[in-house]
Amino acid sequence: MTYVTPHIGPARYVAVDLETTGLGEDAHLLEISVLILDAQLRERASYTTLVHHPAGALNGLDEKVREMHAASGLLADLADATGLPTVAEVERDLLALLDEHQSDDTPIHLAGGGVAQFDQPFLKRTMPNLIARLHYRPVDFSIIRQAYKDANGIELAVPDYEHPHRAEADIRSDVQVGRILYDTLRTAHRAGEHVAPAVAPSTREVAADLIAHTLATGNVPAITDATPDLVEALLDEIRQRAHQPA
């Protein structure tokens, strides 16, 4: 899917993907990719870098994690790299990027696939100043996609984008999924499907309205398909009105 637009709006999302040494609280950041997006998920700016990690951080990698990072080429790239920025330096760069692209006081949300479960907590620990600049509620495309499936009973039709476990490729795939989700939501909105269904009145409210109508007009309305609950509510309403002072 190609998005061509003559205008990119103000920054609204910081879409992020991280490659790390693991999923635990002691994990170290190895690579990060960030896309600054407007409200329509159009790209304003991007930032991707390998990240300096402590000596020995790769020695204790879980075997599956090691195989994943080896297959993606990340370990080889890290071995060849020199002068990599520290986590603090990356955070400084990203704050400067926000300063450049955040044009007003409208909150900017963290976004991506799985960001609520992993990326946001990880960044809270490692880049607290960055997280402090963002809205507390992330926009997690994987949660929206799951909600669509739960509501409709079918998966959203999304191309099988590759996730090669490299930060930039993965976040660009996640954002493509997000664009399809947003298009689906906009289509539903234009079709009127966003309108919340009317809340059905309670049996007690129906009974009260029927009694009030009868007393006001002197006409007893026809009642079809009366349920036992409605009959009981009508009788109870009559009993209560009979005991009210005139």
Side-chain angles (χ1 to χ4, degrees):
M1 186 174 297
T2 301
Y3 289 80
V4 179
T5 175
H7 174 70
I8 304 297
R12 290 294 178 265
Y13 300 104
V14 173
V16 63
D17 187 83
L18 311 175
E19 297 300 330
T20 66
T21 58
L23 301 178
E25 294 190 2
D26 58 346
H28 297 285
L29 182 61
L30 302 176
E31 185 179 47
I32 182 171
S33 187
V34 168
L35 304 179
I36 305 296
L37 308 171
D38 73 357
Q40 306 302 317
L41 304 185
R42 297 173 296 200
E43 184 177 334
R44 289 182 59 92
S46 63
Y47 175 94
T48 300
T49 185
L50 299 172
V51 182
H52 174 79
H53 52 278
L58 301 178
N59 294 340
L61 288 180
D62 177 85
E63 189 59 32
K64 289 185 178 179
V65 174
R66 181 178 296 280
E67 290 176 0
M68 178 181 70
H69 289 330
S72 71
L74 178 57
L75 293 183
D77 287 350
L78 288 169
D80 293 339
T82 58
L84 295 177
T86 64
V87 170
E89 290 170 335
V90 170
E91 183 180 40
R92 180 200 62 199
D93 290 346
L94 293 177
L95 290 172
L97 202 61
L98 283 181
D99 289 339
E100 180 181 354
H101 292 278
Q102 188 172 14
S103 60
D104 53 35
D105 294 331
T106 302
I108 296 182
H109 295 259
L110 192 69
V115 291
Q117 181 178 6
F118 178 72
D119 303 78
Q120 186 183 52
F122 186 95
L123 292 173
K124 278 183 179 180
R125 296 192 302 270
T126 58
M127 299 187 193
N129 295 320
L130 173 64
I131 288 296
R133 287 281 299 273
L134 305 178
H135 195 278
Y136 71 92
R137 185 184 295 119
V139 175
D140 193 320
F141 301 137
S142 63
I143 292 176
I144 302 173
R145 189 174 178 181
Q146 182 64 46
Y148 179 94
K149 178 181 178 181
D150 292 346
N152 296 286
I154 58 172
E155 290 275 5
L156 180 69
V158 174
D160 188 17
Y161 293 114
E162 291 186 2
H163 282 75
H165 300 293
R166 294 301 298 264
E168 183 174 7
D170 287 0
I171 192 55
R172 290 192 179 279
S173 291
D174 289 337
V175 169
Q176 285 290 76
V177 171
R179 288 169 176 156
I180 294 172
L181 287 164
Y182 275 37
D183 280 349
T184 302
L185 293 173
R186 281 191 290 266
T187 299
H189 179 89
R190 287 192 294 267
E193 296 173 9
H194 65 291
V195 177
V199 177
S202 67
T203 302
R204 171 70 66 183
E205 290 169 333
V206 171
D209 287 345
L210 288 171
I211 297 298
H213 174 82
T214 300
L215 293 176
T217 66
N219 297 319
V220 179
I223 303 175
T224 59
D225 298 326
T227 66
D229 286 344
L230 178 56
V231 173
E232 180 61 34
L234 283 168
L235 293 174
D236 193 45
E237 185 72 18
I238 292 171
R239 294 188 198 103
Q240 290 190 31
R241 288 177 181 268
H243 288 85
Q244 290 178 354

